[in-house]
């Protein structure tokens, strides 16, 4: 049995996805930060943080400082709750939020998304990716098809 060739079903569109937007919670400017492989991204602020928010408590900006603050005020229930959530990876202080980008329309209309191996392809940093075999096709490569 031969395996079908992994090949896009049409010429790949050259797409310029937005590289910046704003957080829908705090209106901070966000930029697209790709992972090393270039197949996924996060929206981060200009400091490279995925979370935003400012402490309403003077001199308290880190989890350790917040725990010390709670202990100093005798709020052991909140201390235990926060310490457990932090240890389990909650990752946020009570006044923080995960940056949520303002929705922008897709740069590609649904009917224009190319397919490969019977699945819609994924737009990635360097072109388009087959979702089945994970082959990345650059737009310049597809022009030679």
């Amino acid at each position: 049995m031969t395996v079908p060739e992994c090949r896009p079903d049409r010429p790949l569109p050259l797409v310029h996805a937005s590289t910046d937007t704003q957080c829908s919670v705090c209106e901070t400017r966000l930029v697209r930060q790709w992972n090393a492989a270039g197949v996924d991204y996060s929206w981060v602020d200009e400091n490279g943080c995925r979370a935003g928010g400012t402490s309403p408590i003077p001199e308290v900006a880190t989890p350790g400082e917040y725990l010390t603050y709670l202990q100093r005020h005798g709020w052991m229930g909140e201390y235990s709750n926060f310490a457990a959530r932090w240890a389990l990876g909650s990752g946020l202080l009570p006044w923080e939020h995960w940056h949520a980008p303002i929705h922008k329309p897709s740069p590609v209309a649904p009917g224009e998304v190319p397919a490969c191996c019977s699945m819609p392809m994924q737009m990635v940093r360097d072109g388009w990716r087959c979702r089945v075999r994970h082959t990345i096709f650059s737009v310049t490569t597809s022009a030679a098809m």
Side-chain angles (χ1 to χ4, degrees):
M1 182 171 117
T2 60
V3 177
E5 182 180 356
C6 183
R7 184 182 188 111
D9 67 345
R10 66 184 81 176
L12 300 176
L14 178 60
V15 177
H16 297 288
S18 62
T19 58
D20 68 325
T21 187
Q22 284 184 310
C23 176
S24 62
V25 177
C26 64
E27 298 182 357
T28 296
R29 179 177 180 265
L30 302 177
V31 295
R32 186 185 305 252
Q33 181 180 60
W34 290 95
N35 67 1
V39 296
D40 200 6
Y41 62 88
S42 297
W43 290 103
V44 298
D45 62 25
E46 292 177 333
N47 296 318
C49 296
R50 292 182 13 213
T54 304
S55 173
I57 308 166
E59 315 257 338
V60 175
T62 68
E65 292 168 350
Y66 183 58
L67 288 171
T68 300
Y69 173 83
L70 293 173
Q71 186 178 29
R72 219 178 316 142
H73 287 83
W75 296 329
M76 298 315 292
E78 176 59 21
Y79 179 99
S80 296
N81 183 312
F82 179 75
R85 284 187 289 121
W86 188 262
L88 293 172
S90 120
L92 294 176
L93 289 159
W95 52 83
E96 292 180 322
H97 64 276
W98 293 114
H99 285 309
I102 292 174
H103 176 72
K104 290 188 174 185
S106 173
V108 181
E112 296 175 12
V113 174
C116 186
C117 297
S118 301
M119 295 286 293
M121 295 181 80
Q122 176 188 5
M123 185 178 62
V124 296
R125 178 188 63 207
D126 301 325
W128 292 87
R129 180 179 184 228
C130 174
R131 292 180 188 264
V132 175
R133 299 210 183 132
H134 307 290
T135 306
I136 295 177
F137 296 91
S138 72
V139 174
T140 55
T141 302
S142 73
M145 290 175 58

